[in-house]
């Protein structure tokens, strides 16, 4: 039991800190947009690297906060029927829906994501733009995001199972 | 792999959405999960390879970068406390009229809508700000709920709007042109709401009395005008900053959204609300909301990929084409009706991603103007925010209303406003120039 509690706590810590840190990518996106406006519109000297860096940061801001957003239950859902269930009923429904939707999807996404990123690493794929930078940093973010999503999902899943079996909240 | 006819798979996929959603699972993962399941059933594991490409395209899309920026902008603006001052300014303005507070809410929502592009922020802030005031002054609960919920939905139509950003990306048209297209319809809906409240409170003054005299006096007319101006200037500055730079071609929508967020941040400092803690909270909450929105976009994109791949698109197209005896206007009616009905059942982002690849080719074939057609869907989707069980405005409201307001009051309250939105949609269909004129004069 203590081991399970420790694992769940570790996962929540990872989700929390990844979220808190990588949320700041959005600030970087905004500053870079300002830089772009300044260099291109005011100085008239656009830089070739902003386009890629912006989209990579955006990708990071989404993928690396996946666990964080899930932890805070930010994801929009319809609770009009769900909220009428008892807390046991909710835990049971969550367990089942996790298996079919979030759990299943994030495993597939992790597995295919690793293949996707590995392919890009193997061929040292580059973007077809003037900057011609490597694509793998962005593509690697996808499996990492899937991993964060999966472990946070599993943490909630474990909590529900423990609640269903033992009747106590971790 | 199972042999499914396109009809069966289309029906099962939609049934899957409804079941998954109503079990309270996050919309994003219901869509993504169904895509994974049906992709496998239809083609086997190869289907999943397509997922990565689609997810990667959405997550690195330069147009969609405007979304976190607009979310953060709304988050900063919320902290400035501008709404508070604006609301009082509007109450001064409409004080002597019946329904003063409701009118103030509608106009305020329209101004906020022009500053922000996300719906949650304004529904929540207006519910907290205006609902207690309305109830205290004896306003009808239904009118109060309907006004705030309907006013809040304006955010997503009046530019800048994250919905229009997504639509522009999906349809491959310029964000600036869509922003321009949404402008007049947004004003029309605002005016219709306004007129409705004026009429209702004229007929039944007890539903929404004017402000009591003692609350209106105390400031001289000059002081009032000054107060109103002071609180109108910052939002107008922001609106001009964002929309002006896009429409004059100075910046792309993505860049303008970044500038807007930065200006909102400066405003937060100017209003003395800056602290590192507040900044971090704004950023963290914006990051979570952004992740939520983008997860739905990715989920919807995967779902649509599988849905179209299994022939679902053709099924829907055939249904619409079966009505071709009604002529092109009849088919437009059918498409609008489908969007309206879907608005009750599924989430608006999913509707955009599923309906666009199917409807846009039909609309083009029928000879409709693309921007006009997209904005019609946007106006139509206004109703989806208000129609239960899946209506975002209702969710946000439900979590913030005072305890004496029941869910049923919210449901009753929105009915007249949904009808008004339908009337607004009719007006936009009958007078296409309302949508198409402004996009024709802006640069982008």
């Amino acid at each position: 039991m203590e081991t399970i509690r420790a694992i769940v706590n570790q996962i929540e810590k990872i989700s929390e800190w990844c979220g808190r840190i990588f949320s700041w990518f959005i600030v970087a996106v905004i500053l870079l947009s300002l830089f772009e406006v300044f260099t291109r519109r005011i100085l008239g000297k656009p830089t070739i690297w902003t386009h890629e860096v912006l989209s990579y940061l955006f990708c990071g801001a989404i993928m690396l906060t996946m666990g964080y957003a899930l932890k805070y239950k930010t994801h929009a859902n319809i609770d009009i029927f769900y909220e009428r269930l008892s807390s046991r009923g909710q835990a049971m429904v969550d367990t089942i829906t996790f298996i079919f939707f979030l759990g299943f999807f994030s495993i597939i996404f992790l597995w295919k994501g690793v293949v996707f990123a590995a392919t890009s690493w193997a061929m040292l794929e580059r973007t077809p733009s003037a900057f011609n930078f490597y694509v793998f940093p962005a593509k690697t973010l996808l499996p990492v995001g899937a991993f964060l999503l999966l472990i946070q999902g599993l943490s909630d899943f474990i909590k529900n199972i423990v609640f269903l079996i033992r009747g106590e909240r971790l | 792999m199972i042999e499914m006819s396109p009809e069966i798979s289309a029906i099962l996929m939609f049934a899957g959405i409804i079941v998954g959603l109503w079990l309270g699972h996050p919309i994003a993962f219901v869509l993504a999960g169904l895509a994974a399941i049906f992709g496998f059933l239809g083609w086997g594991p190869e289907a999943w390879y397509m997922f990565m490409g689609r997810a990667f395209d959405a997550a690195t899309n330069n147009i969609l970068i405007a979304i976190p920026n607009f979310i953060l902008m709304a988050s900063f603006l919320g902290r400035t406390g501008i709404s508070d001052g604006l609301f009082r300014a509007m109450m001064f303005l409409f004080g002597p009229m019946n329904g003063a507070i409701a009118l103030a809410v509608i106009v305020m929502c329209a101004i906020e809508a022009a500053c922000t592009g996300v719906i949650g922020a304004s529904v929540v802030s207006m519910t907290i700000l205006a609902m207690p005031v309305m109830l205290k002054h004896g306003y009808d609960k239904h009118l109060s709920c309907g006004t705030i919920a309907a006013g809040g939905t304006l955010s997503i139509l009046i530019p800048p709007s994250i919905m229009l950003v997504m639509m522009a990306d999906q349809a491959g048209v310029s964000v600036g042109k869509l922003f321009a297209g949404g402008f007049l319809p947004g004003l029309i809906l605002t005016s219709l709401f306004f007129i409705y409240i004026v009429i209702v409170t004229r007929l039944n003054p007890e539903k929404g009395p004017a402000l009591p005299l003692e609350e209106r006096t105390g400031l001289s007319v000059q002081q009032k005008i000054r107060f109103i101006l002071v609180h109108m200037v910052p939002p107008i500055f922001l609106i001009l900053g964002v929309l002006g730079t896009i429409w004059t071609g100075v910046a792309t929508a993505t860049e303008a959204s970044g500038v807007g967020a930065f200006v909102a941040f400066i405003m937060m400092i100017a209003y003395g609300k800056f602290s590192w803690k507040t900044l971090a909270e704004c950023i963290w909450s914006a990051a979570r909301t952004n992740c939520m929105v983008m997860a739905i976009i990715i989920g919807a994109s995967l779902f649509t990929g599988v849905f179209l791949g299994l022939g679902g698109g053709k099924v829907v197209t055939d249904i619409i084409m079966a009505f071709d005896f009604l002529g092109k206007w009849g088919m437009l009616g059918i498409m609008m009706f489908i969007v309206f009905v879907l608005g009750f059942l599924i989430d608006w982002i999913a509707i955009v991603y599923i309906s666009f690849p199917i409807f846009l080719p039909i609309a083009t074939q029928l000879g409709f103007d693309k921007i006009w057609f997209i904005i019609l869907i946007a106006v139509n989707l206004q109703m989806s925010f208000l129609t239960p069980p899946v209506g975002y405005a209702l969710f946000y409201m439900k979590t913030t209303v005072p305890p004496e307001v029941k869910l049923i009051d919210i449901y009753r309250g929105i009915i007249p406003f949904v009808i008004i939105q339908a009337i607004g949609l009719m007006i936009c269909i009958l007078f296409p120039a309302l949508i198409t004129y402004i996009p024709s004069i802006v640069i982008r």
Side-chain angles (χ1 to χ4, degrees):
Chain A
M1 200 62 195
E2 281 313 305
T3 332
I4 294 175
R5 195 189 304 269
I7 292 172
V8 167
N9 284 343
Q10 266 328 306
I11 292 176
E12 309 247 298
K13 237 182 234 166
I14 295 173
S15 299
E16 182 72 32
W17 282 102
C18 269
R20 286 193 183 189
I21 295 165
F22 295 111
S23 294
W24 291 82
F25 274 18
I26 296 181
V27 178
V29 166
I30 289 172
L31 293 177
L32 199 56
S33 309
L34 292 177
F35 174 80
E36 167 81 355
V37 174
F38 183 74
T39 51
R40 191 158 52 89
R41 303 291 173 184
I42 298 173
L43 299 183
K45 288 179 193 151
T47 41
I48 53 166
W49 49 273
T50 40
H51 186 89
E52 270 86 357
V53 177
L54 267 177
S55 56
Y56 289 12
L57 284 170
F58 179 50
C59 190
I62 300 162
M63 291 299 159
L64 301 176
T65 55
M66 278 288 174
Y68 181 59
L70 188 63
K71 176 170 180 263
Y72 279 78
K73 305 207 181 311
T74 319
H75 289 290
N77 67 336
I78 314 302
D79 56 2
I80 195 157
F81 303 103
Y82 177 80
E83 69 179 4
R84 299 194 184 167
L85 300 172
S86 65
S87 42
R88 247 191 112 70
Q90 291 184 347
M92 224 177 289
V93 166
D94 281 342
T95 309
I96 295 167
T97 50
F98 173 80
I99 296 171
F100 278 96
F101 299 119
L102 206 166
F104 182 55
F105 170 71
S106 51
I107 290 172
I108 303 284
F109 201 64
L110 176 59
W111 169 32
K112 290 293 164 190
V114 169
V115 177
F116 188 64
T119 316
S120 181
W121 280 88
M123 55 197 249
L124 292 176
E125 180 191 2
R126 284 166 180 269
T127 55
S129 64
F131 186 35
N132 201 234
F133 193 61
Y134 295 108
V135 185
F136 62 77
K139 288 199 170 175
T140 310
L141 290 168
L142 267 65
V144 174
F147 178 73
L148 291 170
L149 184 66
L150 179 61
I151 58 170
Q152 181 58 42
L154 280 175
S155 156
D156 293 338
F157 180 71
I158 293 168
K159 282 195 275 187
N160 279 324
I161 296 281
V162 170
F163 177 68
L164 285 174
I165 296 172
R166 295 219 174 184
E168 58 178 299
R169 296 254 182 222
L170 269 181
Chain B
M1 269 175 280
I2 300 170
E3 278 307 316
M4 284 183 291
S5 75
E7 288 79 12
I8 298 288
S9 65
I11 291 169
L12 285 180
M13 284 184 85
F14 267 102
I17 298 188
I18 292 168
V19 171
L21 285 193
W22 290 19
L23 288 175
H25 199 66
I27 293 165
F29 305 119
V30 170
L31 294 167
L34 287 170
I37 294 168
F38 281 89
F40 179 75
L41 293 179
W43 302 294
E46 291 79 42
W48 297 329
Y49 200 75
M50 154 197 99
F51 286 11
M52 302 320 297
R54 280 190 166 246
F56 185 73
D57 286 345
T60 55
N61 182 314
N62 265 62
I63 296 171
L64 298 181
I65 294 179
I67 292 173
N69 295 354
F70 282 135
I71 293 172
L72 191 56
M73 182 169 112
S75 190
F76 285 145
L77 274 182
R79 300 285 180 146
T80 55
I82 289 179
S83 320
D84 222 11
L86 252 182
F87 184 52
R88 283 205 297 154
M90 290 302 140
M91 298 236 285
F92 284 138
L93 197 59
F94 299 118
M97 297 169 72
N98 279 344
I101 311 176
L103 296 175
V105 167
I106 288 297
V107 175
M108 245 206 83
C109 283
I111 298 172
E112 273 201 13
C115 301
T116 66
V118 285
I119 174 172
S122 70
V123 174
V124 169
S125 71
M126 290 313 294
T127 309
I128 293 169
L129 198 64
M131 185 71 91
V133 186
M134 292 172 107
L135 295 178
K136 198 184 96 194
H137 287 84
Y139 274 58
D140 182 50
K141 275 183 205 167
H142 300 158
L143 181 67
S144 313
C145 292
T147 305
I148 295 176
T153 61
L154 291 170
S155 311
I156 210 81
L157 182 62
I158 297 181
S161 139
I162 62 166
M163 175 163 83
L164 297 178
V165 172
M166 278 174 213
M167 288 180 155
D169 174 51
Q170 271 299 291
V173 296
S174 108
V175 178
K177 297 246 174 200
L178 270 199
F179 277 7
F183 192 72
L184 280 185
L187 283 189
I188 289 167
L189 281 184
T190 312
S191 324
L192 291 176
F193 294 154
F194 193 90
I195 294 166
Y196 168 75
I197 294 167
V198 168
I199 293 174
V200 165
T201 53
R202 166 113 354 138
L203 298 178
N204 305 297
E206 74 280 4
K207 277 196 171 179
L211 274 193
L213 206 56
E214 64 272 16
E215 287 189 34
R216 281 188 268 138
T217 46
L219 285 177
S220 69
V221 175
Q222 268 174 326
Q223 278 174 313
K224 278 184 196 170
I225 292 173
R226 196 169 163 271
F227 189 81
I228 292 168
L229 286 181
V230 163
H231 288 92
M232 288 290 291
V233 169
I236 289 175
F237 180 63
L238 188 67
I239 296 166
L240 290 181
V242 174
L243 296 181
T245 47
I246 300 175
W247 288 343
T248 52
V250 171
T252 64
T254 307
E255 290 161 359
S257 68
V259 175
F262 184 72
V263 173
F265 173 66
I266 300 290
M267 282 163 72
M268 188 170 90
I269 297 176
Y271 278 78
K273 298 287 158 58
F274 173 82
S275 72
W276 286 102
K277 190 166 167 281
T278 317
L279 176 64
E281 278 166 7
C282 284
I283 287 161
W284 290 334
S285 83
R288 293 196 296 263
T289 310
N290 175 52
C291 179
M292 182 265 280
V293 172
M294 290 306 301
I296 301 179
I297 289 183
I298 293 172
S301 168
L302 303 186
F303 181 91
T304 308
V306 173
F307 185 76
L308 297 180
L310 291 176
K314 198 169 170 304
V315 173
V316 179
T317 308
D318 287 347
I319 293 174
I320 297 166
M321 286 303 177
F323 288 91
D324 65 352
F325 61 89
L326 291 173
K328 71 181 210 175
W329 297 104
M331 285 158 81
L332 178 75
I334 299 292
M335 286 191 274
M336 288 299 143
F337 182 72
I338 292 176
V339 172
F340 174 70
V341 172
L342 286 179
F344 283 85
L345 301 174
I346 59 177
D347 155 83
W348 63 275
I349 302 179
I351 298 176
V352 170
Y353 276 77
I354 297 167
S355 72
F356 268 39
I358 302 172
F359 286 2
L360 285 184
I362 299 178
T364 314
Q365 215 178 3
L366 293 174
F368 292 126
D369 181 76
K370 208 171 180 184
I371 289 181
W372 177 73
F373 183 77
I374 295 168
I375 297 292
L376 286 186
I377 294 186
V379 175
N380 193 331
L381 282 176
Q382 294 280 297
M383 294 186 273
S384 82
F385 290 99
L386 296 182
T387 46
V390 184
Y392 278 151
L394 308 178
F395 297 152
Y396 290 120
M397 196 162 206
K398 195 184 71 183
T399 52
T400 33
V401 283
E404 66 260 39
V405 179
K406 300 278 171 278
L407 193 58
I408 191 75
D409 294 322
I410 304 181
Y411 285 177
R412 289 238 179 90
I414 56 113
I415 295 171
F417 289 92
V418 173
I419 295 172
I420 296 171
Q421 287 171 332
I423 295 171
L425 179 62
M426 282 308 294
I427 293 177
C428 292
I429 293 176
L430 293 175
F431 304 101
L434 291 173
I435 294 173
T436 52
Y437 178 64
I438 300 188
S440 69
I441 54 173
V442 300
I443 293 177
R444 68 169 165 208

